[in-house]
Amino acid sequence: MQKEFIDQLSALLSTPKKCVIFPHKNPDGDALGSSLALGHFLQQKGHDCKIISPNEYPQFLAWMPGQENILCFNKEELKCRTYIEDAELFFTLDFNALGRIAPIDQWIQKTNTPIVMIDHHEAPQDYAALMYSDSALGSTCEMIYNVLIELDEKAITQEIASCIYTGIMTDSGSFRFSSTTARTHRVVANLLDSGIDHSKIHQNIYDSYRFERLQLLGLGLKNLTRVDNLQAVYMHISQAELDSCDFQKGDTEGFVNYGLSLDGVKLAVILIENKQEGIIKMSFRSKGDFDVNAFARKHFNGGGHINAAGGMSALSLEETKHELHQIILQYSSNLI
Ligand code: 5GP
Ligand code: MN
């Protein structure tokens, strides 16, 4: 992190400010964890702070300290717009393209309020007055840790540590992805020193399935398809299948990783039909040097990181499956 970033952020925060923090749409553990950690810190320092999420977050995150005060733009639009109009400082966390908080981006662009971006995705858009962007780091939560201890070495309270731990754990696949460094573990060691219950956090996130969610996983696994003789698999879940298992937000989180758990498989994809939005939402995961960020950007209007990315298709589920299959064949030489 550049010293200039911290100096300028300190200057912005030298007087009490009305702040609004935005995590990306469909916030995950990292987006919510970083937003809540920063929110707790700003409030402790006497700033007025609201977290506005574009939409709801999954139930398995609904225990995080401070989550009960998060506003969802899709549920309380007018209230959210008032906070946005009155704000003196915006933070955008865990994304780097304003389209990822649509339709909030329109309301932000009507203001002249400076934006601070803290994010670990590649190719940031040029919208922030102040930017800390580093795609080498595994999570925005690790970046928030870096920022907070630079601003105040005693910043990490137990509740802040719980939030940061959650984001580091979820974005690193429980500390196994290659972006997990010795430094990540040192940060985590410091978080544990603050007295957090890390086993409980893991349980809250990964061992909190509803019965129907496990049944939905069963349907997804039945649909798992291997692309010819290649090290590539995809899984699809139709709207009817979601409905039959009383789908709730977050239920399909992590399903794509089952494909990747197969020996030798280098690329795993999940396609999830969303009839309401008229799209197929896609997640891509890879092992090694197969770059799913480039793949999602090129073919499915998405992006992310080298080993984890997302995207979408406006075709039907059947058509998207067919298209994906054909595109994967073009990459045969990388998927043997
Ligand atoms: P997931 O598959 O878990 O939704 O997302 C994996 C990674 O890709 C995350 O870093 C997420 O922020 C990013 N991602 C997911 N969907 C999209 C998308 O539609 N566009 C872009 N640019 N990134 C995405
Ligand atoms: Mn992240």
Side-chain angles (χ1 to χ4, degrees):
M1 180 187 5
Q2 287 176 333
K3 186 174 177 302
E4 202 186 340
F5 172 83
I6 286 295
D7 290 346
Q8 291 183 12
L9 184 59
S10 298
L12 282 172
L13 296 175
S14 61
T15 52
K17 288 262 160 36
K18 285 186 203 145
C19 305
V20 175
I21 302 173
F22 301 103
H24 57 74
K25 189 178 175 198
N26 299 324
D28 56 9
D30 191 31
L32 224 53
S34 54
S35 298
L36 286 164
L38 179 64
H40 286 303
F41 174 80
L42 292 174
Q43 253 154 7
Q44 278 164 26
K45 297 292 175 196
H47 302 282
D48 201 27
C49 184
K50 230 24 209 176
I51 299 172
I52 298 181
S53 173
N55 61 352
E56 293 92 340
Y57 46 90
Q59 191 57 32
F60 63 78
L61 298 174
W63 57 272
M64 296 183 75
Q67 56 82 27
E68 60 282 1
N69 296 320
I70 294 176
L71 291 174
C72 291
F73 190 87
N74 64 334
K75 288 202 296 197
E76 297 187 87
E77 177 169 342
L78 288 180
K79 200 168 167 185
C80 291
R81 273 166 44 192
T82 307
Y83 278 110
I84 291 170
E85 277 158 26
D86 292 347
E88 297 165 288
L89 192 56
F90 293 136
F91 290 87
T92 65
L93 301 189
D94 200 35
F95 64 96
N96 62 17
L98 281 182
R100 298 219 54 215
I101 50 170
I104 299 177
D105 52 337
Q106 300 163 29
W107 300 102
I108 285 190
Q109 279 157 354
K110 286 190 207 299
T111 71
N112 288 319
T113 307
I115 303 177
V116 180
M117 176 207 295
I118 302 175
D119 177 63
H120 69 130
H121 295 89
E122 284 174 28
Q125 261 183 7
D126 183 21
Y127 64 76
L130 209 53
M131 181 162 105
Y132 172 27
S133 163
D134 188 347
S135 62
L137 292 179
S139 64
T140 302
C141 275
E142 188 171 336
M143 303 175 78
I144 285 289
Y145 178 88
N146 296 343
V147 173
L148 298 194
I149 49 161
E150 280 293 327
L151 291 172
D152 174 359
E153 61 182 21
K154 294 197 165 55
I156 309 300
T157 61
Q158 195 170 322
E159 57 186 9
I160 288 178
S162 290
C163 297
I164 294 179
Y165 184 89
T166 301
I168 295 180
M169 180 185 76
T170 53
D171 259 31
S172 66
S174 299
F175 316 107
R176 75 181 191 277
F177 297 156
S178 56
S179 53
T180 308
T181 61
R183 191 174 179 284
T184 311
H185 284 284
R186 283 188 202 103
V187 168
V188 168
N190 292 338
L191 298 175
L192 296 195
D193 278 342
S194 77
I196 58 169
D197 187 345
H198 63 92
S199 297
K200 182 82 182 125
I201 293 176
H202 195 278
Q203 236 176 61
N204 285 341
I205 303 275
Y206 295 112
D207 301 331
S208 62
Y209 277 33
R210 286 174 303 115
F211 189 76
E212 292 82 357
R213 185 177 172 195
L214 214 51
Q215 287 183 311
L216 185 62
L217 173 61
L219 294 180
L221 290 173
K222 265 194 198 157
N223 294 338
L224 193 67
T225 306
R226 187 152 203 161
V227 181
D228 297 352
N229 292 318
L230 301 181
Q231 298 291 8
V233 294
Y234 59 86
M235 179 192 287
H236 62 90
I237 300 184
S238 69
Q239 183 72 60
E241 286 168 326
L242 295 171
D243 294 345
S244 74
C245 293
D246 184 27
F247 172 75
Q248 290 177 23
K249 191 161 265 316
D251 278 357
T252 55
E253 197 89 22
F255 284 10
V256 64
N257 296 320
Y258 285 89
L260 207 63
S261 71
L262 288 164
D263 188 25
V265 158
K266 293 181 183 165
L267 170 67
V269 185
I270 188 167
L271 303 90
I272 299 166
E273 187 174 33
N274 183 332
K275 277 253 158 85
Q276 199 184 350
E277 294 188 21
I279 60 163
I280 309 300
K281 181 68 192 156
M282 306 171 79
S283 286
F284 306 90
R285 297 291 184 272
S286 65
K287 286 196 233 112
D289 56 10
F290 190 91
D291 185 349
V292 286
N293 172 38
F295 189 89
R297 266 176 207 273
K298 179 154 186 213
H299 302 290
F300 294 103
N301 197 26
H305 312 278
I306 177 169
N307 296 132
M312 47 105 29
S313 155
L315 300 175
S316 71
L317 184 57
E318 276 309 310
E319 288 165 339
T320 307
K321 263 166 37 186
H322 181 74
E323 192 189 23
L324 173 70
H325 200 106
Q326 297 309 313
I327 291 171
I328 288 176
L329 292 178
Q330 294 168 22
Y331 289 78
S332 294
S333 59
N334 306 101
L335 293 169
I336 297 169

